[in-house]
Amino acid sequence: KFSDKNNLSAGYQYMNNDPYEGLGYISLCGTRTLPGHGCTDTTKTQAAFISDVHLFSPNMIHELRLGFTRLYALRIPEAGNSDIATRLAQPGLPGAEFKYNQGGPQVSIAGFATIGPSSGNPQGRWDNTYNIIDHWNYNHGSHSVKVGTDLRYFQFNSFHAAYRGGVFTFVTGSSSLTNYSFGDFLLG
């Protein structure tokens, strides 16, 4: 509070959540039964504001609020920082070209298991929201008039490297070479 006619306030909030999702049914990282194929799902938020309320007279009040909010979310496969994709040297695996993209391919064998990182990761987003609220409030008798503006600028930045390491699916049935998924897997 600067004076009886001017009040300034400010605030800041920060949240950091960095959980590891391991084995079992994991909706964010995919379902895996072998170790080494979980993911880290980092979420950070920040919010800041400044508010200034000025009383020009008992009938006239001005308020200016400035705000900023940031959401940061990053989902990285457990093997995302390994060099599996580079060591496999398989044509078309873009592992070395993109950060967090070293996990190699996903291999799915019908009736057995799916190994490798989730085909939907890595992914991330960085969202910023800027906000300006400026208004005047005039009171006269039983009447009140409020005029002003509320401006927002929303910035959405994201990436989603789906199927970035490739997906190999081995099925059982007529479209299978051996008519058995594991047999097709062994033959490559």
Side-chain angles (χ1 to χ4, degrees):
K1 188 171 187 178
F2 286 129
S3 67
D4 290 338
K5 293 189 174 207
N6 201 26
N7 189 15
L8 182 68
S9 60
Y12 176 77
Q13 294 177 337
Y14 176 76
M15 187 275 298
N16 182 19
N17 188 23
D18 201 19
Y20 167 76
E21 303 286 348
L23 296 176
Y25 180 74
I26 303 155
S27 62
L28 300 176
C29 302
T31 304
R32 301 295 180 264
T33 53
L34 298 175
H37 301 293
C39 78
T40 302
D41 190 28
T42 302
T43 304
K44 297 178 184 181
T45 60
Q46 298 179 72
F49 77 92
I50 296 174
S51 176
D52 180 47
V53 178
H54 188 83
L55 179 66
F56 284 95
S57 71
N59 296 349
M60 182 71 72
I61 300 172
H62 176 253
E63 181 177 13
L64 174 64
R65 288 185 275 174
L66 306 174
F68 172 75
T69 305
R70 171 172 287 156
L71 168 66
Y72 168 84
L74 182 62
R75 189 170 301 136
I76 305 169
E78 186 173 352
N81 289 322
S82 71
D83 65 346
I84 294 170
T86 303
R87 286 188 291 153
L88 285 174
Q90 178 148 0
L93 287 181
E97 300 169 16
F98 187 70
K99 189 175 181 179
Y100 308 124
N101 203 21
Q102 289 286 325
Q106 173 181 289
V107 180
S108 180
I109 306 168
F112 291 94
T114 299
I115 59 174
S118 168
S119 59
N121 291 322
Q123 59 180 290
R125 62 188 280 186
W126 297 264
D127 302 342
N128 297 316
T129 304
Y130 303 89
N131 194 13
I132 299 172
I133 299 172
D134 187 24
H135 65 258
W136 292 86
N137 194 9
Y138 178 72
N139 297 308
H140 183 71
S142 62
H143 300 284
S144 178
V145 175
K146 187 174 188 177
V147 293
T149 188
D150 183 346
L151 303 173
R152 292 174 199 237
Y153 176 72
F154 184 72
Q155 189 178 40
F156 180 74
N157 307 297
S158 70
F159 73 91
H160 186 199
Y163 306 104
R164 82 274 174 261
V167 176
F168 297 98
T169 303
F170 299 93
V171 298
T172 298
S174 61
S175 63
S176 166
L177 183 65
T178 65
N179 207 26
Y180 188 58
S181 63
F182 196 72
D184 284 2
F185 168 73
L186 291 175
L187 290 175

